Amino acid sequence: AFYSDIGLWPPDVCPQEDPGFIRWNAYQTRCCGFTPAGADAIIQANWNGPYLEKFPILTPWAGSYDWEYWPSGGWTLPPGAYVSVRPRYGSVQRGAGCGYIGDSNATAVPDKLEIKLQQAGVDEYLPNGVNASDDHVIVGLSKF
């Protein structure tokens, strides 16, 4: 619905931060990543949300969800919009870069589940190949 209303994907923001699905101006708090050209004015003029009731903070394994906007691609992935499911990477002070906040007991997506997601074509990040977990699930929403 966000893309349909606005015509572009929200900018890249830090893990656990709303990229603009709850509040139209949430993207102004971003501390990392890329922003589509002219996004500020386009989002303000066309936002018709909220698009989610609440932004999911922690995964079922207490890790982080991360909205990714990669106009030049990322890792081994082509340019596009993605959602990452990450284990906890430790705390980094916000403002100095993206802070990966999570529960101190966080774990990665269980290996068996990640392999099933790879086999189904849901997990697009495959540095170790299909059938080999890598503790990082990335789901593609759009390629451009």
Side-chain angles (χ1 to χ4, degrees):
F2 182 100
Y3 185 86
S4 179
D5 285 349
I6 296 170
L8 54 84
W9 292 104
D12 196 343
V13 295
C14 294
Q16 298 181 317
E17 289 188 4
D18 171 19
F21 298 134
I22 307 299
R23 294 183 305 112
W24 76 268
N25 61 349
Y27 67 93
Q28 294 176 347
T29 64
R30 67 186 179 274
C31 62
C32 60
F34 303 96
T35 305
D40 297 0
I42 294 168
I43 292 171
Q44 184 176 5
N46 297 295
W47 195 86
N48 193 28
Y51 299 97
L52 295 173
E53 289 182 25
K54 69 177 193 166
F55 191 75
I57 300 299
L58 297 177
T59 68
W61 307 280
S64 302
Y65 289 105
D66 189 7
W67 174 260
E68 315 277 11
Y69 173 84
W70 294 328
S72 300
W75 291 314
T76 60
L77 300 169
Y82 300 87
V83 173
S84 294
V85 179
R86 301 170 176 241
R88 180 177 185 267
Y89 281 96
S91 294
V92 176
Q93 185 176 3
R94 291 198 184 263
C98 285
Y100 298 98
I101 299 171
D103 187 290
S104 60
N105 297 314
T107 61
V109 174
D111 291 347
K112 288 182 181 181
L113 176 56
E114 184 175 2
I115 290 169
K116 285 184 180 184
L117 293 171
Q118 292 170 351
Q119 292 169 342
V122 175
D123 182 357
E124 296 189 20
Y125 181 57
L126 305 168
N128 301 325
V130 178
N131 303 324
S133 63
D134 52 51
D135 296 335
H136 200 126
V137 173
I138 300 181
V139 179
L141 298 177
S142 177
K143 306 292 187 296
F144 41 85

